[in-house]
Amino acid sequence: MTKTTNQEQTSIFDMFGIEEPQETTTTLSLEDINKNTDSSGADDNINEQLPTVEEVNSTGADVTTLEEAQTIVETEEPVTTTVGGFQKVITKNESNQKNAEEKKVEEKVEEKVEEKKTLSSFEEPAEKETEKNNSSKAKPTTPAKKSVGDEFKLNAETVVKYAGQEVPVTRYFTAEEIEKGLERKKKGETIKEPINEKDLIKKLNDDFAELVPQLTALVYYQKQNIVIPVLQARTKGANEKESSFEDSFSSPKRVPFQLLQDFISIAKSFAEQHGTEIHADIYFDYDKENFFMDFPKQIVHEYWADRVETAIETSLKFIDLRYRKVMEIHSHHRLAPDPSSTDDKSERSPILYAIVGRINSFFPEVTVRTFNTITQKHIPLKLEQVFEYPFNNQSMAYDLDGVEVTK
C-alpha cells in the first residue's frame, strides 16, 4: 500500500506542466462557445460574393430585389469574436453564406441535441421514448449509479484504489464513523446513517479534482475490500486543494503524437465507412510511465457517440493497473471541431477534452480544452500544451552543408 504524505495534489495540470487555468479574456464561457460555433467553415472568399434575395431573406430581412439585398450587406456592422485567444472579424453575411449541405447538417445536429438533453443532464436520465424511425433512434442510456459491483459497505480495512494510489478509507472517515455512521439532520432530528457512495465521492474530490460527483461512479469489490472510482464519459455530439499523495510526474508529460495519429486514423475509417463519430479515453499508466488509449463500448451515430460501457466493466478492464484518466477525445467527422451544447454539458471535469473535426481533410482540425470547476467555464488550450510535437525528429540524415545562412 502506498503511504501518504501531506503534499500538494497532483492535478492533471501538474502532469502536463500547464499553468492552472484562470479566467482571462481568452476564456470561453458556455454562452461564448455557443455563440461562436457558427463562425468556422466559411468560404475564404465569402466577402467577395454577393448574396441572393433568398439568402438575405433567410436572415429575417424582407427584401424583394437584389439591390435591396446588397444594400443590407453593405450596411452590416462587422462583429469581432475571440476564439482561443485569436480575434476574427465576421459579418452576418459571412455566417449566412455557408453551403447548404453544412447548414442542413447543423440543423439536424441541433435536433439531436434536443433529443438527447436528458442524456447530458447531471441527474439520472429518464427512460427515453421509443422513436418511430428506428434508423435514427437515439440509444437509451442506462441510469448512472453512484456505486456498482458488490453492496457498498465500508469497513476500517477498505482501500480506495485510484491514480496509482491505494488509500485507506480511514483517511476520509474515522473508525467510529465507519462503524456507526455519519450524523445527519432529518426533520429537525439528528440521526446516524451508514456512509454512502456520495459521502466518499465528496471526500475523494478533495484529493482528485477530476472526480466530480456528477460524473463519478464507485465500484466496490467486497472480496478484495477495495473501492475503484471511475470517471464516466457522457454523450458527445457534434455541434487547488490540499492532498497527500506521493506519486507525481518528475517532469511535464505530453500525450504521444502517435496516439493522436492512431485516433485520427480510426476516426477517419469510421467516418468514411459509416459516417459516424467515435469516442476514446486516454489514460496514464503510473507503472510503465506512459499513456495508453482505450475505446470503450459505445454506440456511434452520425451526430453523436454514446458510451455504454458500465463503470464495473471499465474497472475490471484495468483492475491490475495503476492508472488515471487524463483525456477524453472524440471526432466530429466532416464537421468542424467546435464543441456542441451536448459537449459543453458533458465535459465538466478538470481533465483534458479533445475534438477532431474535418476528418476528410489532409490535415484534420483538432481543438483541446479543459473545464474550470471554480469559474464553471471551459478553457481553450494549445495543442503543444497537450500533445508531443511531431516534427522535432527527422527520419534520415541529410547533407545540409550547402545551406548558407545570411542576416
Side-chain angles (χ1 to χ4, degrees), residues 48-62:
E48 298 176 5
Q49 301 175 5
L50 295 178
T52 64
V53 173
E54 290 78 8
E55 288 171 335
V56 174
N57 283 336
S58 69
T59 67
D62 186 12

Side-chain angles (χ1 to χ4, degrees), residues 112-329:
K112 291 299 177 183
V113 168
E114 291 299 321
E115 292 175 6
K116 296 181 70 58
K117 274 184 178 179
T118 55
L119 296 178
S120 302
S121 67
F122 287 162
E123 301 299 327
E124 293 187 355
E127 294 183 1
K128 293 188 65 65
E129 297 180 359
T130 304
E131 296 181 356
K132 294 180 181 180
N133 187 355
N134 292 329
S135 62
S136 61
K137 181 173 63 177
K139 179 205 71 63
T141 299
T142 303
K145 297 180 180 180
K146 292 299 180 183
S147 176
V148 291
D150 298 324
E151 181 184 358
F152 188 82
K153 190 174 182 181
L154 302 179
N155 58 59
E157 303 301 321
T158 303
V159 168
V160 178
K161 186 177 180 180
Y162 182 74
Q165 305 295 321
E166 293 182 353
V167 186
V169 74
T170 50
R171 162 174 166 74
Y172 303 115
F173 305 101
T174 65
E176 182 178 355
E177 289 174 330
I178 295 172
E179 181 181 354
K180 298 182 179 180
L182 300 178
E183 289 187 354
R184 309 183 198 275
K185 288 187 176 181
K186 285 192 175 181
K187 298 181 180 180
E189 297 183 4
T190 300
I191 62 174
K192 285 192 175 183
E193 291 184 340
I195 295 170
N196 60 38
E197 300 91 323
K198 292 182 180 180
D199 296 326
L200 181 54
I201 291 174
K202 288 179 181 178
K203 295 288 187 179
L204 289 170
N205 182 241
D206 290 335
D207 285 333
F208 302 98
E210 70 268 24
L211 295 181
V212 294
Q214 299 90 346
L215 300 175
T216 303
L218 300 180
V219 181
Y220 177 63
Y221 293 100
Q222 184 177 14
K223 185 176 180 180
Q224 296 96 326
N225 201 14
I226 59 175
V227 175
I228 300 179
V230 177
L231 182 59
Q232 295 181 299
R234 294 291 181 91
T235 303
K236 310 293 173 140
N239 197 18
E240 318 78 6
K241 299 175 181 180
E242 185 181 359
S243 179
S244 63
F245 301 107
E246 293 179 336
D247 285 348
S248 63
F249 288 86
S250 57
S251 61
K253 299 286 185 180
R254 295 290 182 271
V255 175
F257 183 80
Q258 185 64 52
L259 290 185
L260 177 60
Q261 181 176 315
D262 290 346
F263 178 82
I264 291 176
S265 176
I266 293 170
K268 184 176 177 64
S269 175
F270 271 81
E272 291 176 345
Q273 295 183 37
H274 311 290
T276 67
E277 300 186 2
I278 194 167
H279 165 91
D281 299 311
I282 295 179
Y283 299 88
F284 184 80
D285 186 317
Y286 281 83
D287 293 318
K288 295 182 179 179
E289 293 191 352
N290 63 12
F291 295 90
F292 67 93
M293 182 164 61
D294 175 70
F295 289 83
K297 292 181 181 179
Q298 57 192 285
I299 295 178
V300 295
H301 184 271
E302 185 177 4
Y303 303 122
W304 44 263
D306 198 356
R307 176 188 174 122
V308 297
E309 183 172 288
T310 65
I312 192 169
E313 288 175 319
T314 302
S315 66
L316 285 173
K317 188 189 300 184
F318 306 132
I319 194 168
D320 294 327
L321 301 181
R322 298 195 311 130
Y323 68 96
R324 187 175 193 172
K325 180 191 282 191
V326 297
M327 176 184 288
E328 294 177 6
I329 181 170

Side-chain angles (χ1 to χ4, degrees), residues 24-93:
T24 65
T25 55
T26 61
T27 296
L28 294 183
S29 66
L30 302 186
E31 181 179 358
D32 295 332
I33 292 173
N34 290 332
K35 287 181 179 178
N36 292 332
T37 52
D38 288 339
S39 65
S40 63
D43 194 316
D44 292 338
N45 298 320
I46 200 66
N47 290 326
E48 298 176 5
Q49 301 175 5
L50 295 178
T52 64
V53 173
E54 290 78 8
E55 288 171 335
V56 174
N57 283 336
S58 69
T59 67
D62 186 12
V63 299
T64 57
T65 67
L66 183 60
E67 288 75 17
E68 291 177 345
Q70 295 172 358
T71 301
I72 288 179
V73 174
E74 292 171 357
T75 57
E76 268 186 340
E77 290 294 330
V79 178
T80 301
T81 181
T82 301
V83 181
F86 295 93
Q87 286 192 338
K88 179 182 179 182
V89 178
I90 63 173
T91 64
K92 293 181 181 178
N93 178 53

Side-chain angles (χ1 to χ4, degrees), residues 12-21 252 254 352 381 385-386:
I12 298 298
F13 306 108
D14 295 330
M15 295 179 181
F16 287 83
I18 299 174
E19 184 177 352
E20 186 78 14
R254 295 290 182 271
L352 303 172
L381 299 173
Q385 291 177 283
V386 177

